[in-house]
Every structure is written in structure tokens, then in C-alpha cells.
Amino acid sequence: MTTDWDAGRLDSDLSGVGMDTLAVRAGQHRSPEGEHGEPLFFTSSYVFRSAADAAARFAGEVPGNVYSRYTNPTVRAFEERIAAMEGAEQAVATASGMAAILAMVMSLCSAGDHVLVSRSVFGATVSLFEKYLKRFGLEVDYVPLTEVSVWEPAFKANTKLVFVESPSNPLAELVDIAALADLCHAKGAMLAVDNCFCTPALQQPLALGADIVIHSATKYIDGQGRCLGGVVAGRSEQMKEVVGFLRTAGPTLSPFNAWVFLKGLETLRLRMQAHCASAQILADWLEQQSGVEKVYYAGLTSHPQHELAKRQQKGFGAVLSFEVAGGKEAAWRFIDATRLISITANLGDSKTTITHPGSTTHGRLSPEDRATAGIQDSLVRVAVGLEDVEDLKADLARGLAVL
Ligand SMILES: *Cc1c(COP(=O)(O)O)cnc(C)c1O
């Protein structure tokens, strides 16, 4: 809907501005009230001027809102802002990160299509493909993330979609997104990247050649552990299909959550910088502690893909993992000895979290699958928050002291 303000200087043209300006300004359409902040349209439905107006809006002959399962101005504002930051033609918001993955597959794939998924994706993503989507005739295969040459033979004539998380959880493995995108396009497939760990502040998969970006906005986009939400972003042609699925099936984003995420985006880059700075300090420090056998963080020169991370990302992220001497018992003792850091599997929060992937996030895998994925029983994962880094170090030192 255009308003008096849309034409005015306050919603000026944002073409060519930087990411920080987009994060603060993109997607805002002021109402005639002239509000400075983004309004929260907490409504499920909308009134029409007349019966004829209702009929015209339902028929799509005139623009305007009908029902919040279809459109909501606050949700749209969030979609426009995240699209601008990802460099996408269009973004579509969903009720959660999982709803984003579901909406992408349901709208772009059909029975008989083949999907390739990187082996180290989020646990619920594997369950979604294995338990549900396969029942509807989708073929799914898993490929180790890091080497593009290993992906090539996995393609089939019916491969429609390739889905990866880079960097991966919890070992911070990467794939060369530009090289994988080239391969996908040569094979006639689309590449979707779950950009949850980096956010557009650190990595823009579309600029690297990917076709679709997925987010769990629940993580860093919120940044303070309040709301669930997700995003699918890409070309309008494909996003039109995603919108169609969401309007029909219903896992749309709540306007309240959209408003929280809209405000979260304004501070996203500053927060990511702070998260990354602390993660680097802790990874450097952990690597020197006796009792710590190995640290997994792409910001370390010991990380096998450090150079790729430098090239592909604007920062190394804030999730790091390390193996302690003494196996699972030692890992659990370490975790239990911390006092400040929260024992929780969530990440992307201002509060630092610590978890034992082998018995939580990756606990449903068989021991053999865990071994194949490189997740040892001695592995501890930390998602670094925004506390004073010296306090975090002191807390991790409590863990080291009981090894
Ligand atoms: C959390 C997460 C998801 C799922 O998002 P929800 O908002 O919890 O549904 C998907 N991918 C990654 C990488 C995640 O960390």
C-alpha cells in the first residue's frame, strides 16, 4: 500500500546503500501517522471499504491486505529488509527455520525428484527428509560437505535441489559455495544454503551463486532467544511458489515475531562482530590449554578450511567445538563445572551456551554415524554470546580444572 510518506523524503531510494543502512532502513513503509519506528500490525484480518472493495482485493485486482495468513505489513517489512540484506529479489518469512525448509521443498520439489543434502545438517532437517518427505516420493541422499569433487558423482538425472549448511554444526566445516553452485547449475539443480550460522552479516550465499538462502531467524537474527521464525529467500519466480504453499498450508510468521526480527536485524552486524571477536579469543586460548585435544573453529590457522573461510565469509562465526581428554565423562564433567554459561543446545543468543553434541543434538545418530560425522564423545560445543570474554574464559577454566 502506498501512503503519503512513501513518496516523501523519509522513505528515500535505498539503491546502492551499504548493508548497515539496509539493516536499519529497508522495508519500512510509513503509515500516514508518520511513525519513526516500525509499526506492529497485530491483526489477523483487515476491513474493506465496501463489498466491491472486498471482492476486488480477494480477486487480486487491487492491492491490499486480506488476511494475515496471506500478507501482513509487519511481516512484509521484515521480508523486505532481510531480502535487501541477502541481496535477494524476494524473501518469504515462515513460522520457524524448519517451516522454511519444509516450505522450500514442498513448493519446489515433486515426487520422483532427487535431493542431495550435506551430511552434517541440523538434526531436524534430516528427520524432515527421512521421516516425512521421503514418504511422499522424494529421493534423498547425503554427501560429506567439504569436497566439491565428492558431490559430483552423487548427482542423478533427476537431482532437483542441493541443500547445504556452511559452516556446519558443530565442527565448522565449510564448502566452497561458488564452486558447488557452478556444479549444481551444470547439472540443472538448484543450490540452497542454510545461512543460519553466518547470517547476511558474514556471508551472502546468493552473491556466491546459490539460488536460495534459508534462515532460522530464531538464532542470530533474533539474537536474544525470544522468538521462533524462519526465512526462504531467492528469485521471485521461485519465491512465488513458496508464498503459494505458505498461504495454503499456513506456517506463516507471527507479526509479533516479525517485529522482533525486524529490530534484531538493525543490530545484527554489530552483534555478529562482537560474537566473532569473543569466539576467536576463546578458540585461540582453548587451543593452548592442556586437556583440550583439538579445537574446531574456522578462525584458527589450524582449521583445514581457514583460507576458504577467509575468502567466503566476512567473519568466522561464533560456534566453536573442542575435544577434551577423557571422553564423554570428561566432557560432561567439563560442562557441569561451568557456572555462568547456560547448558542448552540453542545458539545465536546473547547468552553463551554449552552443549555435548554426542548426547543431545546428535544423540539420535547411531555411534557409527556419529563417528562418520566426526563427532567424538569427547566433543563440547560452545555458542559464544555477548558477555565479557574474560568472564567466559574464567568459566571455561572451571571446566578445564576438573578434567
Ligand atoms: C535451529 C536451526 C534450524 C531450525 O530452525 P528452527 O527455527 O528451530 O525451526 C535449521 N537450521 C539450522 C542450521 C539451525 O541451527
Side-chain angles (χ1 to χ4, degrees):
M1 253 190 302
T2 53
T3 67
D4 295 339
W5 290 106
D6 282 336
R9 62 178 293 276
L10 294 178
D11 281 327
S12 53
D13 181 11
L14 291 175
S15 54
V17 304
M19 169 99 66
D20 288 347
T21 305
L22 293 172
V24 173
R25 300 266 176 192
Q28 190 169 14
H29 300 272
R30 287 192 175 81
S31 80
E33 301 296 338
E35 68 280 354
H36 190 209
E38 293 76 0
L40 170 52
F41 287 88
F42 212 44
T43 182
S44 52
S45 59
Y46 305 83
V47 292
F48 310 108
R49 290 183 185 82
S50 64
D53 180 37
R57 280 209 226 173
F58 265 85
E61 289 158 7
V62 297
N65 301 297
V66 170
Y67 188 53
S68 283
R69 177 154 44 76
Y70 302 168
T71 55
N72 174 282
T74 308
V75 174
R76 186 189 58 175
F78 168 60
E79 289 171 337
E80 289 184 7
R81 188 167 290 178
I82 185 76
M85 293 172 74
E86 284 288 7
E89 283 177 20
Q90 192 179 341
V92 189
T94 58
S96 67
M98 291 318 302
I101 299 169
L102 175 70
M104 168 182 70
V105 177
M106 290 299 283
S107 52
L108 301 178
C109 297
S110 303
D113 286 341
H114 178 232
V115 180
L116 287 175
V117 179
S118 58
R119 199 178 266 157
S120 42
V121 290
F122 190 64
T125 305
V126 176
S127 304
L128 178 65
F129 280 109
E130 287 298 303
K131 252 189 101 178
Y132 300 101
L133 294 168
K134 271 188 170 176
R135 280 196 351 227
F136 297 92
L138 210 64
E139 288 176 42
V140 187
D141 283 314
Y142 299 87
V143 181
L145 179 69
T146 54
E147 299 302 326
V148 174
S149 59
V150 175
W151 285 87
E152 164 122 45
F155 280 83
K156 297 187 190 175
N158 58 340
T159 305
K160 182 84 180 274
L161 179 71
V162 173
F163 180 82
V164 300
E165 270 171 38
S166 180
S168 73
N169 174 31
L171 297 180
E173 292 175 325
L174 281 72
V175 69
D176 184 331
I177 293 174
L180 185 60
D182 284 346
L183 176 63
C184 290
H185 298 154
K187 303 279 187 186
M190 290 178 282
L191 175 62
V193 178
D194 185 330
N195 201 25
C196 178
F197 276 48
C198 274
T199 83
L202 303 185
Q203 172 171 277
Q204 290 176 296
L206 300 179
L208 294 166
D211 302 281
I212 294 167
V213 175
I214 292 285
H215 277 290
S216 166
T218 315
K219 312 292 167 53
Y220 293 103
I221 291 177
D222 176 325
Q224 294 172 56
R226 296 160 293 191
C227 295
L228 284 162
V231 177
V232 191
R235 283 189 292 279
S236 299
E237 180 196 347
Q238 277 134 10
M239 293 310 109
K240 221 170 52 197
E241 300 301 322
V242 177
V243 167
F245 172 78
L246 283 173
R247 287 180 178 187
T248 310
T252 43
L253 183 63
S254 151
F256 179 80
N257 292 10
W259 183 82
V260 170
F261 297 149
L262 198 50
K263 303 311 285 179
L265 288 178
E266 295 184 4
T267 57
L268 178 65
R269 202 184 57 81
L270 292 172
R271 287 187 285 108
M272 291 312 287
Q273 254 175 2
H275 280 295
C276 293
S278 293
Q280 184 75 51
I281 291 168
L282 294 176
D284 287 339
W285 176 76
L286 280 165
E287 208 171 37
Q288 300 190 352
Q289 304 308 307
S290 61
V292 174
E293 296 188 322
K294 189 166 172 148
V295 182
Y296 298 87
Y297 183 64
L300 296 172
T301 50
S302 60
H303 188 285
Q305 294 175 297
H306 177 65
E307 288 306 318
L308 173 62
K310 271 203 328 214
R311 193 165 80 233
Q312 180 162 283
Q313 300 175 194
K314 292 196 206 90
F316 300 112
V319 178
L320 60 92
S321 300
F322 50 94
E323 285 162 15
V324 294
K328 178 179 162 183
E329 273 63 44
W332 280 25
R333 260 203 323 276
F334 185 108
I335 291 169
D336 290 343
T338 59
R339 287 289 165 266
L340 180 70
I341 298 173
S342 316
I343 305 175
T344 166
N346 197 26
L347 61 99
D349 198 306
S350 49
K351 295 177 174 66
T352 300
T353 66
I354 191 164
T355 193
H356 180 248
S359 56
T360 60
T361 52
H362 295 69
R364 274 178 296 179
L365 297 183
S366 67
E368 299 75 47
D369 286 350
R370 264 202 302 282
T372 312
I375 295 161
Q376 307 287 338
D377 282 347
S378 57
L379 192 74
V380 174
R381 189 195 77 183
V382 175
V384 180
L386 298 176
E387 301 95 335
D388 283 285
V389 69
E390 289 307 320
D391 295 330
L392 295 174
K393 208 186 265 182
D395 208 31
L396 293 174
R398 290 186 183 107
L400 290 169
V402 298
L403 285 179

